[in-house]
Amino acid sequence: MSAESAASVRYVAIGDSFTEGVGDELPDGAVRGWADLVAAGWADATGQSVQYANLAIRGRLVRPIVDEQLESALALRPTHLSFNGGGNDMLRPRTSVEHVLEAFMQVVRRCDEEGVTLIVLSGANPSAQLPFGSLVNRRGDALSDAVVSRLGDRDDIVRALNWYDRTLTHPSYWSADRLHMNARGHHRVAARVLGSLGLDAPGEWWALPAEQQAPTLARGEYFREHLAPWVRRRLTGRSSGDGRAPKFGSWVEVSPRG
């Protein structure tokens, strides 16, 4: 355990559906996700309670994430802030990598100014399963490489880079919509974040037993159930996150288990 990890921790997460936890649904319909798991694993690994907030909203593009969530997160006076964004931007036809990078660097600058330890994540690569996967793969490669290059030798920025994890491309880590990871995927991401913080995650989080996979939908069925609703939202200017509030908009205390 590092000296930093033994200190009082106030951890806030900002982002889109990846950080909100979509795909990792609990029996009551609530979503959990890797950030919730990180808070719990952090408390368990240090034996101390963690203050945790999650302002992420599904469907958000990278600029609204920064404009709507960053300052609210910093106003909570966290010790650590995790940021991921750009996945939804990469699905749009006219998004530039530079546009996403500008948002990343604003988060870096503001965390530097406030003395907050930044945790940067890249999402996992869903492209092998998508009908427009080659485009997503090229853009994701370009964005991930550009972020790594721009961060340079900033060893003070914690990095949990999931895009390069080939294991996470396997269908057993993904939900039926092929865009969001399931519980197995979220646990692996949480294990990577904790490892990047110098903490030990439960070993099984890296590869939970694969549950019965969602049935592989025929092309037409997949388009009808998952792709068509997404296209309709784009055409009408709506988002899956419209009207949603953050699931943890202020601090909740996460205590060690056991």
Side-chain angles (χ1 to χ4, degrees):
M1 181 194 312
S2 68
E4 181 181 72
S5 69
S8 175
V9 172
R10 299 185 304 279
Y11 163 49
V12 60
I14 65 174
D16 55 23
S17 59
F18 173 58
T19 301
E20 185 185 344
V22 174
D24 183 16
E25 278 79 22
L26 299 175
D28 64 359
V31 297
R32 178 176 51 186
W34 64 264
D36 290 21
L37 293 165
V38 164
W42 207 331
D44 290 345
T46 61
Q48 297 184 2
S49 293
V50 168
Q51 298 297 310
Y52 169 55
N54 189 324
L55 307 187
I57 299 287
R58 64 190 68 183
R60 290 294 189 263
L61 299 171
V62 69
R63 179 46 58 185
I65 292 172
V66 174
D67 291 346
E68 299 168 11
Q69 299 176 24
L70 177 60
E71 294 305 321
S72 295
L74 292 174
L76 294 172
R77 303 186 62 82
T79 58
H80 296 75
L81 180 148
S82 68
F83 170 64
N84 169 267
N88 290 307
D89 299 75
M90 293 297 99
L91 299 176
R92 303 298 178 93
R94 290 182 292 275
T95 296
S96 71
V97 168
E98 189 60 34
H99 169 77
V100 180
L101 273 179
E102 289 174 1
F104 265 81
M105 298 315 296
Q106 181 176 339
V107 176
V108 171
R109 176 178 59 82
R110 289 293 293 124
C111 285
D112 285 347
E113 291 171 351
E114 299 296 328
V116 175
T117 297
L118 175 61
I119 305 168
V120 170
L121 290 92
S122 59
N125 185 348
S127 62
Q129 309 172 79
L130 298 177
F132 44 92
S134 60
L135 173 62
V136 174
N137 187 64
R138 288 196 303 273
R139 287 181 166 181
D141 283 348
L143 175 59
S144 297
D145 293 346
V147 169
V148 169
S149 176
R150 190 68 64 90
L151 294 181
D153 58 358
R154 288 288 305 268
D155 293 335
D156 56 323
I157 295 177
V158 179
R159 308 177 198 197
L161 304 179
N162 301 285
W163 185 262
Y164 304 108
D165 185 347
R166 299 300 301 170
T167 298
L168 275 175
T169 65
H170 192 273
S172 65
Y173 290 91
W174 294 86
S175 298
D177 67 5
R178 308 182 193 177
L179 281 172
H180 298 103
M181 291 182 303
N182 58 22
R184 193 177 196 227
H186 279 282
H187 277 81
R188 186 173 177 88
V189 170
R192 174 166 285 109
V193 175
L194 290 169
S196 298
L197 288 163
L199 302 169
D200 292 329
E204 65 271 16
W205 284 16
W206 286 99
L208 292 181
E211 298 183 3
Q212 183 176 357
Q213 292 178 223
T216 301
L217 301 179
R219 182 181 178 87
E221 193 175 5
Y222 173 73
F223 271 74
R224 184 172 60 255
E225 293 190 15
H226 297 291
L227 194 57
W230 182 86
V231 171
R232 283 196 294 271
R233 289 195 297 271
R234 300 291 77 74
L235 293 175
T236 57
R238 294 181 293 115
S239 166
S240 58
D242 287 349
R244 298 189 69 90
K247 64 178 181 179
F248 300 126
S250 58
W251 294 123
V252 296
E253 183 171 337
V254 181
S255 300
R257 293 169 292 186

